[in-house]
Amino acid sequence: MEDRFVVQGIEFKSRLWVGTGKYRDFEETAKAVEESGTDVVTVAVRRVNILDRKSPNLLDYIDPRKYKILPNTAGCYTVEDALRYSRLAREAGVSDMVKLEVIGDEKTLFPDVCGLLKATEILAKEGFIVFPYTNDDPIVAKRLVDAGAAAVMPLGAPIGSGLGIRNPYNIKIILETVDSPVIVDAGVGTASDAATAMELGCDAVLINTGIAGAKEPVAMAAAMKHAVIAGRLAYKAGRIPKKLYATASSPLEGMLL
């Protein structure tokens, strides 16, 4: 079945997006990215050397001609920092897209939604394609879209926690509330979590720690790839209703007695 994934005129081949932090080295990063089948790779502008091409560089291992590089503002706790690193990435020729993070709390890494809304509005007016990382609040998601976000990226659980989709009901409400792509970001720990997000109807899943922190990251990247594909197919196919009592697989009508 035809199932294109397009955001503001940009078509994405894969519904699994992957991060590049926490791997043992750039070689492992490249192998996991390749095995995931993704075409979108997120890169933390503050933490990874993508602006100085004279030093060892992630982009020597992740070919921008093959992958869409999505700079992110991980580690930014103020609107000003988030704006600065978004602009630096674009000026360096990395991308007009940005995964926008404005973090509000160092312990939980939950977003500062007031700052996030402000930064989204400013960057959208400057022509950025903004993918804001947010909490699972449907009202905030709607306001982000109204502020110019190209999509919303609600957390499934706290960043790096591996707890899975803790509040699927809020995710479903977000899907009903916004007329923009919904990409689950943060909290996915294993393949079943990724499949759950896709079965809810999300457009994509972004995973970093769930792959990079696995005992075998390259193998986990393959598992996540297949989970996202299976979850999306199941969503499109339409699951059977849940019932309290059994329903015979072979109806009695027409059976010889």
Side-chain angles (χ1 to χ4, degrees), residues 32-49:
V33 168
E34 178 72 24
E35 193 64 33
S36 74
T38 190
D39 61 335
V40 178
V41 178
T42 67
V43 176
V45 182
R46 290 193 63 174
R47 297 173 181 164
V48 179
N49 182 19

Side-chain angles (χ1 to χ4, degrees), residues 1-4 15 229 232-238:
M1 62 182 74
E2 184 176 355
D3 188 26
R4 299 175 67 215
R15 293 177 182 271
I229 293 170
R232 181 65 181 179
L233 284 173
Y235 169 73
K236 295 289 287 185

